[in-house]
Amino acid sequence: RPEGVKISAHISRTLRFGLYHVLHLYPKASKFIVLEDDLILSPDFYRFMLQTGTFLEMDSSLYCVSAFNYLSYPHTAMDATQLYRVQTHPAYGWMTTRDIIKELLPKWLSSTRATDWDYMMGSGVFRNGRDCLVPDINRSYHGGVMGTHFTPSFSTERDYLAKTYNTIPDVQLMDHRQLMQETYEQDMVLLIKRAKPIEVNDTLEIDLPETHKEEQFYVIFVQKEHSTDELSFRIIGLVLDIWHKDGRETYHHTWRLHYHGATLLIVGVPLSKYASLMPAEYSVFRAIPEDEMVLNYLEFAKNGKTKVYFHHPDQKNKNMTELLMKKKYKIASDIK
């Protein structure tokens, strides 16, 4: 009996229906994996879940494991053994425990609420202060280009089809002790202290060397005043040619990724717990409202593949077409 008039509610209630019934159909199962029908799984997908399932059972500060990392692109991921803690929702092949499902079902939104299930699970009420594990290199590939939230477009190609996909069948993941909350946070502090701060100039050119080594570490500090203040993250994401629809996959409002081989961290200031590690002489990158117009424009631009460097426009000028005509924004071809 389909529930919900809106498609988001329908899908959300269908997932709840499935989770409710597997608890009864498989009373001895301690963990469950949720898959969608348009996913291509890595050859080590189940090995990945078996290994991370142990982490999930041992660490009460985790609530899920996801096979998919939104920040994982060929130029931002390099280590199939690497896992990250993130404070977000799972996606495209994920696992949780029987106890977590039993906890979440009574909180599930009703059929009258048109909210996507993943955003719901990433909310504070559902996460309850817990984290999710995601891989550096994805273990699932979203092969579908048509669906509720998908149409064939450059955005779909960039945001989903351009992601990584592990092809190694026998990966032994990193030691789980490195992922324990206290150890992981200590590691984050050491990484940021060790990293070279990178200034982002007014044309949004980020001065990173063309070639990197694994022992190189960089950090960029960007504005984040409150939980929904994501524009600076989105602009940096656009420049780095990664996910930039929002600031998901953060850990304490900090992105962590391998950028062309180096470790790069983007820290939200002042909201991140790591903001205090910013050197006193360093200036925070702050996006301005006009920058969002550029983001929105490029999302719908027909010419697609672009990498953007733009000067901040006159604050008084609010007309996008006029801004572009005056060449206040300089759009360059994609840098390979």
Side-chain angles (χ1 to χ4, degrees):
R1 297 185 298 276
E3 299 179 45
V5 177
K6 299 288 187 180
I7 188 64
S8 295
H10 186 179
I11 294 172
S12 173
R13 298 298 293 184
T14 296
L15 176 58
R16 185 192 184 282
F17 176 87
L19 293 175
Y20 174 84
H21 283 283
V22 294
L23 292 180
H24 298 85
L25 288 169
Y26 303 98
K28 295 183 179 180
S30 61
K31 295 178 291 295
F32 297 90
I33 297 171
V34 179
L35 297 173
E36 298 174 31
D37 62 2
D38 55 0
L39 300 182
I40 301 169
L41 306 181
S42 288
D44 74 328
F45 176 86
Y46 292 107
R47 179 182 174 90
F48 174 85
M49 289 299 181
L50 282 170
Q51 292 182 72
T52 54
T54 302
F55 305 166
L56 195 57
E57 290 181 329
M58 295 174 59
D59 191 345
S60 60
S61 67
L62 298 173
Y63 87 112
C64 65
V65 173
S66 181
F68 190 88
N69 176 355
Y70 280 93
L71 303 182
S72 183
Y73 293 83
H75 67 292
T76 61
M78 57 175 286
D79 186 356
T81 72
Q82 176 80 48
L83 297 167
Y84 301 115
R85 295 182 74 109
V86 295
Q87 294 167 329
T88 187
H89 56 74
Y92 309 126
W94 54 279
M95 175 174 59
T96 191
T97 67
R98 170 179 291 274
D99 289 341
I100 295 293
I101 293 174
K102 290 169 69 175
E103 175 193 328
L104 298 185
L105 288 177
K107 302 177 182 178
W108 214 271
L109 295 182
S110 71
S111 59
T112 61
R113 295 288 297 276
T115 302
D116 292 328
W117 66 265
D118 47 1
Y119 285 98
M120 177 186 66
M121 286 194 64
S123 67
V125 173
F126 276 65
R127 283 201 312 104
N128 196 23
R130 295 167 296 201
D131 305 329
C132 194
L133 291 181
V134 300
D136 188 48
I137 298 179
N138 289 337
R139 278 2 190 244
S140 67
Y141 184 82
H142 194 286
V145 294
M146 288 292 290
T148 304
H149 302 296
F150 295 95
T151 56
S153 65
F154 169 67
S155 178
T156 300
E157 178 183 338
R158 180 198 61 222
D159 295 335
Y160 297 95
L161 303 185
K163 292 294 196 296
T164 61
Y165 174 75
N166 178 56
T167 59
I168 305 171
D170 55 352
V171 177
Q172 180 64 42
L173 299 176
M174 62 189 295
D175 191 326
H176 73 275
R177 288 172 293 188
Q178 296 175 262
L179 292 164
M180 298 300 287
Q181 190 174 48
E182 184 176 353
T183 303
Y184 191 85
E185 293 194 4
Q186 290 173 350
D187 187 45
M188 289 287 287
V189 170
L190 291 175
L191 284 174
I192 295 171
K193 285 183 175 180
R194 187 178 179 184
K196 176 184 177 181
I198 299 295
E199 293 273 4
V200 181
N201 61 33
D202 63 355
T203 60
L204 278 184
E205 293 175 295
I206 299 176
D207 185 20
L208 290 170
E210 292 183 2
T211 58
H212 306 293
K213 298 178 181 178
E214 291 183 42
E215 63 269 19
Q216 290 179 314
F217 305 90
Y218 303 97
V219 60
I220 298 171
F221 295 94
V222 304
Q223 174 183 282
K224 188 161 190 181
E225 299 284 348
H226 48 81
S227 60
T228 59
D229 179 15
E230 298 183 327
L231 184 55
S232 295
F233 268 93
R234 294 179 64 203
I235 293 294
I236 294 297
L238 179 66
V239 174
L240 296 176
D241 209 15
I242 60 174
W243 177 268
H244 55 268
K245 291 184 182 295
D246 50 36
R248 69 184 63 178
E249 309 292 45
T250 59
Y251 185 70
H252 292 293
H253 309 289
T254 298
W255 272 345
R256 178 177 172 180
L257 45 89
H258 287 127
Y259 190 72
H260 291 292
T263 296
L264 175 63
L265 301 110
I266 296 95
V267 180
V269 179
L271 200 57
S272 173
K273 68 187 301 181
Y274 309 119
S276 61
L277 301 175
M278 184 182 72
E281 69 278 8
Y282 189 81
S283 59
V284 176
F285 168 69
R286 303 177 186 276
I288 60 174
E290 282 79 358
D291 295 346
E292 186 161 23
M293 292 194 296
V294 174
L295 279 171
N296 294 335
Y297 176 82
L298 292 175
E299 285 297 319
F300 296 101
K302 292 181 180 180
N303 57 355
K305 288 190 176 180
T306 53
K307 194 169 184 72
V308 181
Y309 302 93
F310 51 89
H311 297 274
H312 287 184
D314 184 344
Q315 291 278 1
K316 298 177 182 178
N317 195 333
K318 303 297 184 182
N319 187 288
M320 185 51 161
T321 303
E322 188 177 348
L323 289 174
L324 291 168
M325 291 298 291
K326 288 183 176 180
K327 297 183 179 180
K328 293 265 186 172
Y329 293 88
K330 180 176 62 178
I331 300 177
S333 60
D334 188 40
I335 298 175
K336 300 298 182 183

